[in-house]
Amino acid sequence: MSGKIATITSGKGGVGKTTATANIGAALAEMGLSVVCIDADIGLRNLDVVMGLENRIVYDLVDVVEGRCKLRQAMIRDKRLEEFYLIPAAQTRDKTAVSPQDMIRLTDELRADYDWILIDSPAGIERGFRNAIAPADIVVIITNPEVSAVRDADRIIGLVEAEDKGPGRLIINRVKPEMIKRGDMLGTDDVLDVLAIELVGVVPDDESVIVAANKGLAVVLDPRSKAGGAFRNIARRLNGENVPFEALEEQDGFFGRLSRLVKSGGEG
Amino acid sequence: MNTPLAIKGVRDGLLITVPEGDWVEVLPNLLETVQEQADFFRGARLALQIEDRELSAAELGRLRDVLAEEEITLWAILTTSAATRGAAADLGLELELSKPSHTERDDELPLESRLQGEEAVLVERTLRSGHNIRYAGHVVVLGDVNPGAEIVAGGHVIVWGRLRGTVHAGASGDESATVCALDLSPTQLRIAGQIAVSPGRRSKTMPEIACIREGQLVAEPWQAR
């Protein structure tokens, strides 16, 4: 088996890298694929918290790199999904504890036995970022529909291209269709206009993501969540399936239809 | 046989002048020297003088990573090759030993009219945020110039695409320089000593030319004559 290595990165902090890593990983695992998530944010680890595995950590990424344990010993299995593992970051060290070569060596070992290796990159463009993208076959850049996040994503795409990692693929996270409709938020087209790379998914802003993360559960396991559905589609697209892009509009409830009737009545 | 490397202490760290020859032969020589004198180099800030050698961003990146393993920070590449300068800039490396401060940048630019404005560099890609092109002649970009990217040219700047970053034409004071773009909406536009910002977003885009006319920086739509 030769697994694929995908790094999820953004430049700007707080746009949803960790949530995206956990959910794309869970979605791939739910499809029956074997997945290992690596938290490369040494010193500021949190993928373990989002995945609800914090209390099971014995060894971490730095322990593996420095030879204190075997790779398998640092891999924590998910609570629900069979073939879904996490290699947590060390909390007490910093980014210099690992080198890009270490990451390449480690992921090459995993590649032989697993379908997907997802790397959660730290924010920024320094050593931690370079560690995270060094082994990547695919770089997934995540951004929000905000000018500052788009600006940073653009910088990251430039850096990824400079490291010969191809243009990367884009996820636009926390999109609010209502705000776009009012003209108060950048639309998907506006973002693509600047970044001009392949889009693999648009994730609506959804409270269920926060609720699930607080419980240490993946939102993709909630069949009613809109964001969960978007992450499932992203996983399928990354895995090579051709999935049409979902419509972002809120599903019309009774009140939605009613208010629209009132509006059109008012205008007509 | 190994040619000894010229190592010099400068204000900002160490400067190594890489000798002439094939990069594949020169590189091991450089690394060997560094490893032999590991104690001397450890923790050093290193600048490399590589003359007109052409190196890709990936090659420079690998060199930086290998040096980082020896705890050496590669921080500057001194080269006359435009391609290498671009690659080094992409990696965030400096291109000169002491960075001129922003206030005197324009006076210090080595953009004298030695080229008579006849030479141009062609940039065949989109310039993204953080990319920086500085060239004494004209600059032609086949692609977009995104917000956060910067072009400083001694002569004209021509962008076959959307120009939304910062651009400075005629940076050495040439008021006859122009800036042309298919969509001219830069964050900031300068020609010689004049500065202008774009008016707000327009619904319709059209090719435009910016130039100095009667002491005023003006932008006018391109018209087929």
Side-chain angles (χ1 to χ4, degrees), chain A residues 8-252:
Chain A
I8 289 99
T9 188
S10 69
K12 187 175 180 296
V15 297
K17 286 180 293 297
T18 301
T19 315
T21 308
N23 281 291
I24 295 168
L28 287 166
E30 210 192 7
M31 286 157 63
L33 298 159
S34 55
V35 183
V36 183
C37 289
I38 303 177
D39 190 348
D41 202 349
I42 300 163
L44 283 170
R45 76 171 174 214
N46 50 23
L47 183 56
D48 53 315
V49 181
V50 172
M51 287 172 69
L53 301 172
E54 193 184 7
N55 53 5
R56 303 193 193 184
I57 296 176
V58 180
Y59 295 110
D60 57 47
L61 182 61
V62 176
D63 290 322
V64 178
V65 166
E66 295 182 348
R68 275 189 295 276
C69 72
K70 294 211 179 71
L71 185 52
R72 298 280 172 156
Q73 290 176 290
M75 288 168 54
I76 307 167
R77 212 183 70 206
D78 185 69
K79 288 178 288 190
R80 309 195 163 195
L81 296 157
E82 276 295 312
E83 287 290 301
F84 188 29
Y85 299 88
L86 165 72
I87 299 178
Q91 185 67 317
T92 52
R93 302 288 292 275
D94 65 25
K95 314 294 191 252
T96 56
V98 174
S99 73
Q101 281 74 17
D102 292 331
M103 291 297 288
I104 292 171
R105 224 171 297 137
L106 192 137
T107 46
D108 273 345
E109 203 179 325
L110 290 169
R111 200 199 279 272
D113 298 325
Y114 298 91
D115 296 311
W116 279 93
I117 295 111
L118 302 183
I119 303 173
D120 182 18
S121 158
I125 55 172
E126 293 83 18
R127 177 69 173 267
F129 162 73
R130 286 198 280 118
N131 283 344
I133 66 160
D137 301 320
I138 301 170
V139 180
V140 178
I141 291 133
I142 183 156
T143 189
N144 294 156
E146 294 163 21
V147 281
S148 58
V150 171
R151 186 71 60 90
D152 288 359
D154 192 39
R155 175 96 170 101
I156 287 291
I157 294 166
L159 292 171
V160 169
E161 282 170 350
E163 302 266 353
D164 271 354
K165 293 288 180 188
R169 298 182 207 186
L170 185 71
I171 294 176
I172 309 176
N173 194 19
R174 297 212 193 107
V175 172
K176 295 186 178 178
E178 284 305 310
M179 282 184 74
I180 294 173
K181 229 184 270 170
R182 290 202 306 267
D184 292 336
M185 185 181 255
L186 294 175
T188 308
D189 294 345
D190 300 315
V191 177
L192 285 176
D193 205 32
V194 174
L195 300 181
I197 60 170
E198 186 196 337
L199 184 70
V200 286
V202 180
V203 183
D205 191 49
D206 185 347
E207 286 179 4
S208 63
V209 173
I210 300 169
V211 175
N214 285 345
K215 289 187 195 150
L217 295 171
V219 75
V220 289
L221 300 180
D222 175 359
R224 285 163 312 172
S225 162
K226 284 215 112 186
F231 280 121
R232 277 196 297 275
N233 285 344
I234 290 168
R236 289 167 61 194
R237 287 186 196 110
L238 285 176
N239 206 41
E241 281 180 54
N242 194 357
V243 185
F245 280 83
E246 57 274 358
L248 275 180
E249 261 77 88
E250 295 290 318
Q251 266 171 2
D252 281 356

Side-chain angles (χ1 to χ4, degrees), chain B residues 20-147:
Chain B
E20 296 278 305
D22 226 346
W23 183 243
V24 286
E25 288 165 20
V26 171
L27 185 62
N29 180 12
L30 170 67
L31 296 176
E32 207 173 288
T33 310
V34 165
Q35 278 155 359
E36 271 170 15
Q37 307 178 39
D39 288 339
F40 172 68
F41 280 106
R42 187 165 298 129
R45 278 165 54 78
L46 189 66
L48 279 186
Q49 166 62 265
I50 58 169
E51 307 293 349
D52 59 353
R53 199 173 263 116
E54 270 197 29
L55 294 179
S56 72
E59 283 173 312
L60 287 173
R62 272 196 293 279
L63 174 62
R64 179 194 57 192
D65 292 341
V66 176
L67 290 172
E69 299 252 294
E70 306 289 329
E71 294 178 42
I72 299 165
T73 313
L74 179 66
W75 71 280
I77 293 287
L78 311 181
T79 171
T80 51
S81 150
T84 313
R85 285 175 74 90
D90 284 352
L91 290 170
L93 297 170
E94 294 294 335
L95 299 171
E96 44 209 309
L97 279 183
S98 35
K99 207 178 175 185
S101 73
H102 281 263
T103 48
E104 51 194 8
R105 188 164 74 178
D106 288 0
D107 312 326
E108 282 197 6
L109 269 181
L111 301 179
E112 301 94 50
S113 44
R114 68 184 157 94
L115 293 165
Q116 304 286 327
E118 292 301 323
E119 218 163 293
V121 62
L122 174 66
V123 181
E124 224 179 324
R125 60 186 172 127
T126 287
L127 292 178
R128 296 184 179 277
S129 176
H131 283 155
N132 188 327
I133 301 278
R134 300 170 83 82
Y135 189 67
H138 312 302
V139 174
V140 182
V141 180
L142 212 54
D144 293 346
V145 179
N146 282 355

